[in-house]
Amino acid sequence: MPKFSVTREQYESEPSLAELRGDSARMVPHWVVPAEGAPAPVSPSLIHGVVVPPASARLIDATPEYGR
């Protein structure tokens, strides 16, 4: 693994967007995820016992995209 030398000022300063993008690009090979098959669909009749707290239901109901 290569070692990079960094000055104290560089270490303590906030990284720029370009630095973050560069770091992410170097990490891409480490993020490989094996391909998995799609999960089988579940029949709605098999879904039961789902409890939604009233506050969550009100929140979703008040959201224009989902509620009224």
Side-chain angles (χ1 to χ4, degrees):
M1 176 177 253
K3 296 206 178 207
F4 300 98
S5 61
V6 197
T7 65
R8 182 180 180 103
E9 291 78 24
Q10 289 173 320
Y11 179 76
E12 292 178 350
S13 69
E14 290 289 319
S16 69
L17 180 57
E19 290 171 322
L20 290 173
R21 291 183 71 189
D23 291 344
S24 296
R26 285 189 293 279
M27 289 298 298
V28 166
H30 301 282
W31 294 337
V32 177
V33 178
E36 293 182 12
V42 175
S43 169
S45 65
L46 296 176
I47 301 174
H48 56 84
V50 176
V51 178
V52 178
S56 296
R58 283 192 302 274
L59 176 70
I60 295 298
D61 188 43
T63 305
E65 292 85 14
Y66 301 107
R68 296 176 237 175

CSV table of all heavy atoms in Angstrom, one decimal:
chain,number,residue,atom,x,y,z
A,1,MET,N,0.8,-1.2,0.0
A,1,MET,CA,0.0,0.0,0.0
A,1,MET,C,0.9,1.2,0.0
A,1,MET,O,1.8,1.4,0.8
A,1,MET,CB,-0.9,0.0,1.2
A,1,MET,CG,-1.8,1.2,1.4
A,1,MET,SD,-2.9,1.1,2.8
A,1,MET,CE,-4.4,0.8,1.9
A,2,PRO,N,0.6,2.2,-0.9
A,2,PRO,CA,1.5,3.4,-1.0
A,2,PRO,C,1.2,4.3,0.2
A,2,PRO,O,0.1,4.3,0.8
A,2,PRO,CB,1.1,4.0,-2.3
A,2,PRO,CG,-0.3,3.5,-2.5
A,2,PRO,CD,-0.4,2.2,-2.0
A,3,LYS,N,2.3,5.0,0.7
A,3,LYS,CA,2.2,5.9,1.8
A,3,LYS,C,2.2,7.3,1.2
A,3,LYS,O,3.1,7.6,0.3
A,3,LYS,CB,3.3,5.7,2.8
A,3,LYS,CG,3.1,4.3,3.4
A,3,LYS,CD,3.8,4.3,4.7
A,3,LYS,CE,3.6,2.9,5.3
A,3,LYS,NZ,3.5,2.9,6.7
A,4,PHE,N,1.4,8.2,1.6
A,4,PHE,CA,1.4,9.5,1.2
A,4,PHE,C,1.8,10.4,2.3
A,4,PHE,O,1.3,10.3,3.5
A,4,PHE,CB,0.0,9.9,0.7
A,4,PHE,CG,-0.5,9.1,-0.4
A,4,PHE,CD1,-1.4,8.0,-0.2
A,4,PHE,CD2,-0.1,9.4,-1.7
A,4,PHE,CE1,-1.8,7.3,-1.3
A,4,PHE,CE2,-0.5,8.6,-2.8
A,4,PHE,CZ,-1.4,7.5,-2.6
A,5,SER,N,2.7,11.4,2.1
A,5,SER,CA,3.0,12.3,3.1
A,5,SER,C,2.1,13.6,3.0
A,5,SER,O,1.8,14.0,1.9
A,5,SER,CB,4.5,12.7,3.0
A,5,SER,OG,4.7,13.4,1.7
A,6,VAL,N,1.7,14.0,4.1
A,6,VAL,CA,0.8,15.2,4.2
A,6,VAL,C,1.3,16.1,5.2
A,6,VAL,O,1.7,15.7,6.3
A,6,VAL,CB,-0.6,14.7,4.6
A,6,VAL,CG1,-1.7,15.7,4.3
A,6,VAL,CG2,-1.0,13.4,4.0
A,7,THR,N,1.2,17.4,4.9
A,7,THR,CA,1.6,18.4,5.9
A,7,THR,C,0.5,18.5,7.0
A,7,THR,O,-0.6,18.1,6.8
A,7,THR,CB,1.8,19.8,5.3
A,7,THR,OG1,0.6,20.3,4.8
A,7,THR,CG2,2.8,19.7,4.1
A,8,ARG,N,0.9,19.1,8.1
A,8,ARG,CA,-0.1,19.2,9.2
A,8,ARG,C,-1.3,20.1,8.8
A,8,ARG,O,-2.4,19.8,9.1
A,8,ARG,CB,0.6,19.8,10.4
A,8,ARG,CG,-0.3,20.0,11.6
A,8,ARG,CD,0.5,20.6,12.8
A,8,ARG,NE,-0.3,20.7,13.9
A,8,ARG,CZ,-0.3,19.9,15.0
A,8,ARG,NH1,0.5,18.9,15.0
A,8,ARG,NH2,-1.1,20.1,16.0
A,9,GLU,N,-1.0,21.2,8.0
A,9,GLU,CA,-2.0,22.1,7.5
A,9,GLU,C,-3.0,21.3,6.6
A,9,GLU,O,-4.2,21.5,6.7
A,9,GLU,CB,-1.5,23.3,6.8
A,9,GLU,CG,-0.7,24.2,7.7
A,9,GLU,CD,0.7,23.8,8.0
A,9,GLU,OE1,1.3,23.0,7.3
A,9,GLU,OE2,1.2,24.2,9.1
A,10,GLN,N,-2.5,20.5,5.8
A,10,GLN,CA,-3.4,19.7,4.9
A,10,GLN,C,-4.2,18.7,5.7
A,10,GLN,O,-5.4,18.5,5.4
A,10,GLN,CB,-2.6,18.9,3.8
A,10,GLN,CG,-1.9,19.8,2.8
A,10,GLN,CD,-1.0,19.0,1.9
A,10,GLN,OE1,-0.3,18.2,2.4
A,10,GLN,NE2,-1.0,19.3,0.6
A,11,TYR,N,-3.6,18.1,6.7
A,11,TYR,CA,-4.3,17.1,7.5
A,11,TYR,C,-5.4,17.7,8.3
A,11,TYR,O,-6.5,17.2,8.4
A,11,TYR,CB,-3.3,16.4,8.5
A,11,TYR,CG,-3.9,15.4,9.3
A,11,TYR,CD1,-4.3,14.2,8.8
A,11,TYR,CD2,-4.2,15.7,10.7
A,11,TYR,CE1,-4.8,13.2,9.6
A,11,TYR,CE2,-4.7,14.7,11.5
A,11,TYR,CZ,-5.1,13.5,11.0
A,11,TYR,OH,-5.6,12.5,11.8
A,12,GLU,N,-5.2,19.0,8.8
A,12,GLU,CA,-6.2,19.6,9.7
A,12,GLU,C,-7.2,20.4,8.9
A,12,GLU,O,-8.2,20.8,9.5
A,12,GLU,CB,-5.5,20.5,10.7
A,12,GLU,CG,-4.7,19.6,11.7
A,12,GLU,CD,-3.9,20.5,12.7
A,12,GLU,OE1,-3.9,21.7,12.6
A,12,GLU,OE2,-3.4,19.9,13.7
A,13,SER,N,-7.0,20.7,7.7
A,13,SER,CA,-8.0,21.5,6.9
A,13,SER,C,-9.1,20.7,6.4
A,13,SER,O,-9.0,19.5,6.2
A,13,SER,CB,-7.2,22.3,5.8
A,13,SER,OG,-6.8,21.3,4.8
A,14,GLU,N,-10.2,21.3,6.0
A,14,GLU,CA,-11.3,20.6,5.4
A,14,GLU,C,-10.9,20.2,4.0
A,14,GLU,O,-10.4,21.0,3.3
A,14,GLU,CB,-12.5,21.5,5.4
A,14,GLU,CG,-13.1,21.8,6.8
A,14,GLU,CD,-13.8,20.6,7.3
A,14,GLU,OE1,-14.5,19.8,6.6
A,14,GLU,OE2,-13.6,20.3,8.5
A,15,PRO,N,-11.2,19.0,3.6
A,15,PRO,CA,-10.9,18.6,2.2
A,15,PRO,C,-11.8,19.3,1.2
A,15,PRO,O,-13.0,19.6,1.5
A,15,PRO,CB,-11.2,17.1,2.2
A,15,PRO,CG,-12.1,16.9,3.3
A,15,PRO,CD,-11.8,17.9,4.4
A,16,SER,N,-11.3,19.6,0.1
A,16,SER,CA,-12.1,20.2,-1.0
A,16,SER,C,-12.9,19.1,-1.7
A,16,SER,O,-12.7,17.9,-1.5
A,16,SER,CB,-11.2,20.9,-2.0
A,16,SER,OG,-10.5,19.9,-2.8
A,17,LEU,N,-13.9,19.6,-2.5
A,17,LEU,CA,-14.7,18.6,-3.2
A,17,LEU,C,-13.9,17.8,-4.2
A,17,LEU,O,-14.1,16.6,-4.3
A,17,LEU,CB,-15.9,19.4,-3.9
A,17,LEU,CG,-16.8,18.5,-4.8
A,17,LEU,CD1,-17.5,17.4,-3.9
A,17,LEU,CD2,-17.8,19.3,-5.5
A,18,ALA,N,-12.9,18.5,-4.8
A,18,ALA,CA,-12.0,17.8,-5.7
A,18,ALA,C,-11.2,16.7,-5.0
A,18,ALA,O,-11.1,15.6,-5.6
A,18,ALA,CB,-11.1,18.8,-6.4
A,19,GLU,N,-10.8,17.0,-3.8
A,19,GLU,CA,-10.0,16.0,-3.1
A,19,GLU,C,-10.9,14.8,-2.7
A,19,GLU,O,-10.5,13.7,-2.8
A,19,GLU,CB,-9.4,16.6,-1.8
A,19,GLU,CG,-8.3,17.6,-2.1
A,19,GLU,CD,-7.9,18.4,-0.8
A,19,GLU,OE1,-8.8,18.7,0.0
A,19,GLU,OE2,-6.7,18.6,-0.7
A,20,LEU,N,-12.1,15.1,-2.3
A,20,LEU,CA,-13.1,14.0,-1.9
A,20,LEU,C,-13.4,13.2,-3.1
A,20,LEU,O,-13.4,11.9,-3.0
A,20,LEU,CB,-14.3,14.6,-1.3
A,20,LEU,CG,-14.2,15.3,0.1
A,20,LEU,CD1,-15.5,16.0,0.5
A,20,LEU,CD2,-13.8,14.2,1.1
A,21,ARG,N,-13.6,13.8,-4.3
A,21,ARG,CA,-13.9,13.0,-5.5
A,21,ARG,C,-12.7,12.2,-5.8
A,21,ARG,O,-12.8,11.0,-6.3
A,21,ARG,CB,-14.3,13.9,-6.6
A,21,ARG,CG,-15.6,14.6,-6.4
A,21,ARG,CD,-16.1,15.5,-7.5
A,21,ARG,NE,-16.4,14.6,-8.6
A,21,ARG,CZ,-16.6,15.0,-9.8
A,21,ARG,NH1,-16.6,16.3,-10.1
A,21,ARG,NH2,-16.9,14.2,-10.8
A,22,GLY,N,-11.5,12.7,-5.7
A,22,GLY,CA,-10.3,11.9,-6.0
A,22,GLY,C,-10.1,10.7,-5.1
A,22,GLY,O,-9.8,9.6,-5.5
A,23,ASP,N,-10.4,11.0,-3.8
A,23,ASP,CA,-10.3,9.9,-2.8
A,23,ASP,C,-11.3,8.8,-3.1
A,23,ASP,O,-11.0,7.6,-3.1
A,23,ASP,CB,-10.6,10.4,-1.4
A,23,ASP,CG,-9.5,11.3,-0.9
A,23,ASP,OD1,-8.4,11.3,-1.4
A,23,ASP,OD2,-9.7,12.0,0.1
A,24,SER,N,-12.5,9.2,-3.5
A,24,SER,CA,-13.6,8.3,-3.9
A,24,SER,C,-13.2,7.5,-5.1
A,24,SER,O,-13.4,6.3,-5.1
A,24,SER,CB,-14.9,9.0,-4.1
A,24,SER,OG,-15.3,9.6,-2.9
A,25,ALA,N,-12.6,8.1,-6.1
A,25,ALA,CA,-12.2,7.4,-7.3
A,25,ALA,C,-11.1,6.4,-7.0
A,25,ALA,O,-11.1,5.3,-7.6
A,25,ALA,CB,-11.7,8.4,-8.3
A,26,ARG,N,-10.2,6.7,-6.1
A,26,ARG,CA,-9.2,5.7,-5.7
A,26,ARG,C,-9.8,4.5,-4.9
A,26,ARG,O,-9.2,3.4,-4.9
A,26,ARG,CB,-8.1,6.4,-4.9
A,26,ARG,CG,-7.2,7.2,-5.7
A,26,ARG,CD,-6.0,7.7,-5.0
A,26,ARG,NE,-6.3,8.6,-3.9
A,26,ARG,CZ,-6.5,9.9,-4.1
A,26,ARG,NH1,-6.5,10.4,-5.3
A,26,ARG,NH2,-6.8,10.7,-3.1
A,27,MET,N,-10.9,4.7,-4.3
A,27,MET,CA,-11.5,3.7,-3.5
A,27,MET,C,-12.5,2.8,-4.3
A,27,MET,O,-12.9,1.7,-3.8
A,27,MET,CB,-12.3,4.3,-2.3
A,27,MET,CG,-11.5,4.9,-1.2
A,27,MET,SD,-10.4,3.7,-0.4
A,27,MET,CE,-11.5,2.6,0.3
A,28,VAL,N,-12.8,3.2,-5.5
A,28,VAL,CA,-13.8,2.4,-6.3
A,28,VAL,C,-13.5,0.9,-6.3
A,28,VAL,O,-14.4,0.1,-6.1
A,28,VAL,CB,-14.0,3.1,-7.7
A,28,VAL,CG1,-14.7,2.1,-8.6
A,28,VAL,CG2,-14.7,4.4,-7.5
A,29,PRO,N,-12.2,0.5,-6.6
A,29,PRO,CA,-11.9,-0.9,-6.7
A,29,PRO,C,-12.3,-1.7,-5.4
A,29,PRO,O,-12.5,-2.9,-5.4
A,29,PRO,CB,-10.5,-1.0,-7.0
A,29,PRO,CG,-10.1,0.3,-7.6
A,29,PRO,CD,-11.0,1.3,-6.9
A,30,HIS,N,-12.3,-1.0,-4.2
A,30,HIS,CA,-12.6,-1.6,-3.0
A,30,HIS,C,-14.1,-1.8,-2.7
A,30,HIS,O,-14.4,-2.5,-1.8
A,30,HIS,CB,-12.0,-0.8,-1.8
A,30,HIS,CG,-10.5,-0.6,-1.9
A,30,HIS,ND1,-9.6,-1.6,-1.6
A,30,HIS,CD2,-9.7,0.4,-2.4
A,30,HIS,CE1,-8.4,-1.2,-1.8
A,30,HIS,NE2,-8.4,0.1,-2.3
A,31,TRP,N,-14.9,-1.2,-3.5
A,31,TRP,CA,-16.3,-1.2,-3.3
A,31,TRP,C,-17.1,-2.2,-4.2
A,31,TRP,O,-18.3,-2.1,-4.4
A,31,TRP,CB,-16.9,0.2,-3.5
A,31,TRP,CG,-16.5,1.2,-2.6
A,31,TRP,CD1,-16.0,1.0,-1.3
A,31,TRP,CD2,-16.4,2.6,-2.7
A,31,TRP,NE1,-15.6,2.2,-0.7
A,31,TRP,CE2,-15.9,3.2,-1.6
A,31,TRP,CE3,-16.8,3.5,-3.8
A,31,TRP,CZ2,-15.8,4.5,-1.4
A,31,TRP,CZ3,-16.7,4.8,-3.6
A,31,TRP,CH2,-16.2,5.4,-2.4
A,32,VAL,N,-16.4,-3.1,-4.7
A,32,VAL,CA,-17.0,-4.1,-5.6
A,32,VAL,C,-18.0,-4.9,-4.9
A,32,VAL,O,-17.7,-5.5,-3.8
A,32,VAL,CB,-16.0,-5.0,-6.3
A,32,VAL,CG1,-16.6,-6.1,-7.2
A,32,VAL,CG2,-15.0,-4.2,-7.1
A,33,VAL,N,-19.2,-5.0,-5.4
A,33,VAL,CA,-20.3,-5.7,-4.7
A,33,VAL,C,-20.7,-6.9,-5.6
A,33,VAL,O,-21.0,-6.7,-6.8
A,33,VAL,CB,-21.5,-4.8,-4.5
A,33,VAL,CG1,-22.7,-5.6,-3.8
A,33,VAL,CG2,-21.1,-3.7,-3.6
A,34,PRO,N,-20.7,-8.1,-5.1
A,34,PRO,CA,-21.1,-9.2,-6.0
A,34,PRO,C,-22.6,-9.1,-6.5
A,34,PRO,O,-23.4,-8.6,-5.7
A,34,PRO,CB,-20.9,-10.4,-5.1
A,34,PRO,CG,-20.9,-9.9,-3.7
A,34,PRO,CD,-20.5,-8.5,-3.8
A,35,ALA,N,-22.8,-9.5,-7.7
A,35,ALA,CA,-24.2,-9.4,-8.2
A,35,ALA,C,-25.0,-10.4,-7.6
A,35,ALA,O,-24.6,-11.6,-7.4
A,35,ALA,CB,-24.1,-9.6,-9.7
A,36,GLU,N,-26.2,-10.0,-7.2
A,36,GLU,CA,-27.2,-10.9,-6.6
A,36,GLU,C,-28.5,-10.9,-7.5
A,36,GLU,O,-28.8,-9.9,-8.1
A,36,GLU,CB,-27.5,-10.5,-5.2
A,36,GLU,CG,-26.4,-10.7,-4.2
A,36,GLU,CD,-26.8,-10.3,-2.8
A,36,GLU,OE1,-28.0,-10.2,-2.5
A,36,GLU,OE2,-25.9,-10.1,-2.0
A,37,GLY,N,-29.2,-12.0,-7.4
A,37,GLY,CA,-30.4,-12.1,-8.2
A,37,GLY,C,-31.5,-11.2,-7.5
A,37,GLY,O,-31.4,-10.9,-6.3
A,38,ALA,N,-32.4,-10.8,-8.2
A,38,ALA,CA,-33.5,-10.0,-7.7
A,38,ALA,C,-34.4,-10.8,-6.7
A,38,ALA,O,-34.6,-12.0,-7.0
A,38,ALA,CB,-34.4,-9.4,-8.8
A,39,PRO,N,-34.8,-10.3,-5.6
A,39,PRO,CA,-35.6,-11.1,-4.7
A,39,PRO,C,-37.0,-11.4,-5.4
A,39,PRO,O,-37.5,-10.6,-6.2
A,39,PRO,CB,-35.8,-10.2,-3.5
A,39,PRO,CG,-35.5,-8.8,-4.0
A,39,PRO,CD,-34.6,-8.9,-5.1
A,40,ALA,N,-37.5,-12.5,-5.0
A,40,ALA,CA,-38.8,-13.0,-5.5
A,40,ALA,C,-39.9,-12.1,-5.0
A,40,ALA,O,-39.9,-11.7,-3.8
A,40,ALA,CB,-39.1,-14.4,-5.2
A,41,PRO,N,-40.9,-11.7,-5.8
A,41,PRO,CA,-42.0,-10.9,-5.3
A,41,PRO,C,-42.8,-11.6,-4.2
A,41,PRO,O,-42.9,-12.8,-4.3
A,41,PRO,CB,-42.8,-10.6,-6.5
A,41,PRO,CG,-42.4,-11.5,-7.6
A,41,PRO,CD,-41.0,-12.0,-7.2
A,42,VAL,N,-43.3,-10.8,-3.3
A,42,VAL,CA,-44.1,-11.4,-2.2
A,42,VAL,C,-45.6,-11.1,-2.4
A,42,VAL,O,-45.9,-9.9,-2.7
A,42,VAL,CB,-43.6,-10.9,-0.8
A,42,VAL,CG1,-44.5,-11.4,0.3
A,42,VAL,CG2,-42.2,-11.3,-0.6
A,43,SER,N,-46.4,-12.0,-2.3
A,43,SER,CA,-47.8,-11.8,-2.5
A,43,SER,C,-48.3,-10.9,-1.4
A,43,SER,O,-48.0,-11.1,-0.2
A,43,SER,CB,-48.6,-13.1,-2.4
A,43,SER,OG,-50.0,-12.9,-2.3
A,44,PRO,N,-49.2,-9.9,-1.7
A,44,PRO,CA,-49.7,-9.0,-0.6
A,44,PRO,C,-50.4,-9.7,0.5
A,44,PRO,O,-50.5,-9.3,1.6
A,44,PRO,CB,-50.6,-8.0,-1.4
A,44,PRO,CG,-50.1,-8.0,-2.8
A,44,PRO,CD,-49.5,-9.4,-3.0
A,45,SER,N,-51.0,-10.9,0.1
A,45,SER,CA,-51.8,-11.6,1.2
A,45,SER,C,-50.8,-12.2,2.2
A,45,SER,O,-51.3,-12.6,3.3
A,45,SER,CB,-52.6,-12.7,0.5
A,45,SER,OG,-51.7,-13.7,-0.1
A,46,LEU,N,-49.5,-12.3,1.9
A,46,LEU,CA,-48.6,-12.8,2.9
A,46,LEU,C,-48.0,-11.8,3.8
A,46,LEU,O,-47.3,-12.1,4.8
A,46,LEU,CB,-47.4,-13.6,2.2
A,46,LEU,CG,-47.8,-14.8,1.3
A,46,LEU,CD1,-46.6,-15.3,0.6
A,46,LEU,CD2,-48.4,-15.8,2.2
A,47,ILE,N,-48.3,-10.5,3.5
A,47,ILE,CA,-47.8,-9.4,4.3
A,47,ILE,C,-48.8,-9.1,5.3
A,47,ILE,O,-49.9,-8.6,5.0
A,47,ILE,CB,-47.5,-8.2,3.4
A,47,ILE,CG1,-46.4,-8.5,2.3
A,47,ILE,CG2,-47.0,-7.0,4.3
A,47,ILE,CD1,-46.2,-7.4,1.3
A,48,HIS,N,-48.4,-9.3,6.6
A,48,HIS,CA,-49.4,-9.0,7.7
A,48,HIS,C,-48.5,-8.6,8.9
A,48,HIS,O,-47.4,-8.9,9.0
A,48,HIS,CB,-50.3,-10.1,8.0
A,48,HIS,CG,-49.6,-11.4,8.3
A,48,HIS,ND1,-49.1,-11.7,9.5
A,48,HIS,CD2,-49.3,-12.4,7.4
A,48,HIS,CE1,-48.5,-12.9,9.4
A,48,HIS,NE2,-48.6,-13.4,8.2
A,49,GLY,N,-49.2,-8.0,9.8
A,49,GLY,CA,-48.5,-7.6,11.1
A,49,GLY,C,-47.6,-6.4,11.0
A,49,GLY,O,-46.8,-6.1,11.8
A,50,VAL,N,-47.8,-5.6,9.9
A,50,VAL,CA,-47.0,-4.4,9.8
A,50,VAL,C,-47.7,-3.3,10.6
A,50,VAL,O,-48.9,-3.0,10.4
A,50,VAL,CB,-46.9,-3.9,8.3
A,50,VAL,CG1,-46.2,-2.6,8.2
A,50,VAL,CG2,-46.2,-5.0,7.5
A,51,VAL,N,-47.0,-2.7,11.5
A,51,VAL,CA,-47.6,-1.6,12.4
A,51,VAL,C,-46.8,-0.3,12.1
A,51,VAL,O,-45.6,-0.3,12.1
A,51,VAL,CB,-47.4,-2.0,13.9
A,51,VAL,CG1,-47.9,-0.9,14.7
A,51,VAL,CG2,-48.1,-3.3,14.2
A,52,VAL,N,-47.6,0.7,11.7
A,52,VAL,CA,-47.0,2.0,11.5
A,52,VAL,C,-47.5,2.9,12.6
A,52,VAL,O,-48.7,3.1,12.9
A,52,VAL,CB,-47.6,2.6,10.1
A,52,VAL,CG1,-47.0,4.0,9.9
A,52,VAL,CG2,-47.2,1.6,9.0
A,53,PRO,N,-46.5,3.6,13.3
A,53,PRO,CA,-46.9,4.5,14.4
A,53,PRO,C,-47.7,5.6,13.8
A,53,PRO,O,-47.6,6.1,12.7
A,53,PRO,CB,-45.5,5.0,14.9
A,53,PRO,CG,-44.5,4.0,14.4
A,53,PRO,CD,-45.1,3.4,13.1
A,54,PRO,N,-48.7,6.1,14.6
A,54,PRO,CA,-49.6,7.1,14.2
A,54,PRO,C,-48.9,8.4,13.7
A,54,PRO,O,-49.3,9.0,12.7
A,54,PRO,CB,-50.5,7.4,15.4
A,54,PRO,CG,-50.4,6.2,16.2
A,54,PRO,CD,-49.1,5.6,16.0
A,55,ALA,N,-47.8,8.8,14.4
A,55,ALA,CA,-47.0,10.0,14.0
A,55,ALA,C,-46.4,9.8,12.6
A,55,ALA,O,-46.4,10.7,11.8
A,55,ALA,CB,-45.9,10.3,15.0
A,56,SER,N,-46.0,8.6,12.3
A,56,SER,CA,-45.4,8.3,11.0
A,56,SER,C,-46.5,8.4,9.9
A,56,SER,O,-46.3,8.9,8.8
A,56,SER,CB,-44.7,7.0,10.9
A,56,SER,OG,-43.6,7.0,11.8
A,57,ALA,N,-47.6,7.8,10.2
A,57,ALA,CA,-48.7,7.8,9.3
A,57,ALA,C,-49.2,9.2,9.0
A,57,ALA,O,-49.5,9.6,7.8
A,57,ALA,CB,-49.9,7.0,9.8
A,58,ARG,N,-49.3,10.1,10.0
A,58,ARG,CA,-49.6,11.5,9.8
A,58,ARG,C,-48.6,12.2,9.0
A,58,ARG,O,-48.9,13.0,8.1
A,58,ARG,CB,-49.8,12.2,11.2
A,58,ARG,CG,-51.1,11.8,11.9
A,58,ARG,CD,-51.4,12.8,13.0
A,58,ARG,NE,-50.3,12.8,14.0
A,58,ARG,CZ,-50.2,11.9,15.0
A,58,ARG,NH1,-51.1,11.0,15.2
A,58,ARG,NH2,-49.2,12.0,15.9
A,59,LEU,N,-47.3,11.9,9.2
A,59,LEU,CA,-46.3,12.5,8.4
A,59,LEU,C,-46.4,12.2,6.9
A,59,LEU,O,-46.3,13.1,6.1
A,59,LEU,CB,-44.9,12.1,9.0
A,59,LEU,CG,-43.7,12.6,8.2
A,59,LEU,CD1,-43.5,14.1,8.4
A,59,LEU,CD2,-42.4,11.9,8.6
A,60,ILE,N,-46.6,10.9,6.6
A,60,ILE,CA,-46.7,10.5,5.2
A,60,ILE,C,-48.0,11.1,4.6
A,60,ILE,O,-48.0,11.5,3.5
A,60,ILE,CB,-46.7,9.0,5.1
A,60,ILE,CG1,-45.3,8.4,5.6
A,60,ILE,CG2,-47.0,8.5,3.7
A,60,ILE,CD1,-44.1,8.9,4.7
A,61,ASP,N,-49.1,11.1,5.4
A,61,ASP,CA,-50.4,11.6,4.9
A,61,ASP,C,-50.2,13.1,4.6
A,61,ASP,O,-50.9,13.5,3.7
A,61,ASP,CB,-51.4,11.4,6.0
A,61,ASP,CG,-52.8,11.7,5.5
A,61,ASP,OD1,-53.1,11.4,4.3
A,61,ASP,OD2,-53.6,12.4,6.2
A,62,ALA,N,-49.4,13.8,5.3
A,62,ALA,CA,-49.2,15.2,5.1
A,62,ALA,C,-48.3,15.5,3.9
A,62,ALA,O,-48.1,16.7,3.5
A,62,ALA,CB,-48.7,15.9,6.3
A,63,THR,N,-47.6,14.5,3.4
A,63,THR,CA,-46.6,14.7,2.3
A,63,THR,C,-47.4,14.6,1.0
A,63,THR,O,-48.1,13.6,0.7
A,63,THR,CB,-45.6,13.6,2.3
A,63,THR,OG1,-45.0,13.6,3.6
A,63,THR,CG2,-44.5,13.8,1.3
A,64,PRO,N,-47.4,15.7,0.2
A,64,PRO,CA,-48.2,15.8,-1.0
A,64,PRO,C,-48.0,14.6,-2.0
A,64,PRO,O,-48.9,14.1,-2.6
A,64,PRO,CB,-47.8,17.1,-1.7
A,64,PRO,CG,-47.3,17.9,-0.6
A,64,PRO,CD,-46.6,16.9,0.4
A,65,GLU,N,-46.8,14.1,-2.1
A,65,GLU,CA,-46.5,13.0,-3.0
A,65,GLU,C,-47.2,11.7,-2.6
A,65,GLU,O,-47.4,10.9,-3.5
A,65,GLU,CB,-45.0,12.8,-3.1
A,65,GLU,CG,-44.2,13.9,-3.8
A,65,GLU,CD,-43.8,15.0,-2.8
A,65,GLU,OE1,-43.9,14.8,-1.6
A,65,GLU,OE2,-43.4,16.0,-3.2
A,66,TYR,N,-47.4,11.5,-1.3
A,66,TYR,CA,-48.0,10.3,-0.9
A,66,TYR,C,-49.4,10.4,-0.3
A,66,TYR,O,-50.2,9.5,-0.4
A,66,TYR,CB,-47.1,9.7,0.2
A,66,TYR,CG,-45.7,9.4,-0.2
A,66,TYR,CD1,-44.6,10.3,0.2
A,66,TYR,CD2,-45.4,8.4,-1.1
A,66,TYR,CE1,-43.3,10.0,-0.2
A,66,TYR,CE2,-44.1,8.2,-1.6
A,66,TYR,CZ,-43.1,9.0,-1.1
A,66,TYR,OH,-41.8,8.9,-1.5
A,67,GLY,N,-49.7,11.5,0.3
A,67,GLY,CA,-51.0,11.7,1.0
A,67,GLY,C,-52.0,12.3,0.1
A,67,GLY,O,-52.1,12.1,-1.0
A,68,ARG,N,-52.7,13.3,0.7
A,68,ARG,CA,-53.8,14.0,0.0
A,68,ARG,C,-53.3,14.8,-1.1
A,68,ARG,O,-52.4,15.4,-1.3
A,68,ARG,CB,-54.5,14.9,1.0
A,68,ARG,CG,-55.1,14.1,2.1
A,68,ARG,CD,-55.7,15.0,3.1
A,68,ARG,NE,-55.1,14.6,4.4
A,68,ARG,CZ,-55.3,15.3,5.5
A,68,ARG,NH1,-56.1,16.3,5.5
A,68,ARG,NH2,-54.8,14.9,6.6
